[in-house]
Amino acid sequence: MYPELPLWAASLLIVGGLLALAWSSDRFVLGAASLARNLGVSPFIVGMVIVGFGTSAPELLVSTFSGLGGHTNLSLGNAYGSCIFNIAGILGVAALVRPIAVKRQIRTIAVPLLLAVCGVSLFLLRDNALSRTNALTLLGIFAVVMPLYCKADKSGNDSGDGATLSTALAAMWTLVGLVTMIGASHILVWGSVAVAQFFGVSDLMIGLTIVAIGTSVPELASAVAAARRGEPELVLGNIVGSNLFNTLAVVGIAGAISPSDGFSKYVMMRDLPVLTLTTMAIWIFGRAGKDPDGKGRISRVEGLIWLLAFIAYTCVMICQEKSITGV
């Protein structure tokens, strides 16, 4: 997927990609939060639509090219693996930076919606096949669900305490930050793949680790920046939007381009069940009433639990894949 590079060039790409992500994610979150205030739109909706969908562009591109090449396992692994990392990895890190407040709309609408999508995916893919009909069904659900959810969210303009820019300046920084983040994420993945190849790591391990996590770097960068700025709705909106986009649009587009009569059994035995459980954990960790003030909040301890669970899942995944391929 990426041309080979000498080690020095790959190292420069990694450093440059990280620096570009650090700058662009801060600009992007500042712009998105300001747009929410200026337009009177719920910050959660802005985070879900702009941040969540926009930062899922790497997954969409990778899965689209994988579908064109007939590699359904790569498409599904990229989509579902990114969703799991979004919750267990990114929300875990964001909660360590600052505990995340969880509003009622997230517990009563967003999380049940994500769980319903997981259930539909488990049902449609139960025969370990992704037909064009199933793919179009997922895309149809996506087209219906998103407008309905945006209409159902009646929360006001109550974003965090960050600075507010003019609408034009906010839109500019949102666009510049998004484009830079996407480009920087690909530079980072390219450099990481080249380093892994230089040290003799198999292509399978590269796909399971660097590429899957690398395409989620924009979500990680924007979520950490949002948590640092005190924008909890942008953090959760980012994850909800990205996971809805990945499970419905990314999988749907990949399946519509290249239907599959069979994919890895571990998608149904491991990945989708883990995604369902980590999604349910958002509600469990963020339930109302567990804090003295009666509000829902994901604590630093719960963020650490997510990270440890993700490490355990990754270890199991690698061991299972190694047992299949013999690498």
Side-chain angles (χ1 to χ4, degrees), residues 59-60 74 87 99 113 120 127 149 153 162 192 198 214-215 234 239 258 268:
E59 287 90 340
L60 177 61
L74 179 57
I87 298 175
L113 178 59
V120 169
D127 55 354
Y149 182 82
D153 189 292
S192 300
F198 179 84
T215 54
L234 285 179
I239 300 306
S258 179
M268 300 300 295

Side-chain angles (χ1 to χ4, degrees), residues 1-2 62 74 78 189 193 206-216:
M1 183 180 297
Y2 296 98
V62 170
L74 179 57
N78 177 46
V189 172
V193 168
I206 293 172
L208 290 173
T209 54
I210 297 175
V211 175
I213 295 175
T215 54
S216 291

Side-chain angles (χ1 to χ4, degrees), residues 67-85:
L68 288 171
H71 302 292
T72 306
N73 279 324
L74 179 57
S75 298
L76 294 177
N78 177 46
Y80 296 137
S82 294
C83 287
I84 294 170
F85 180 70

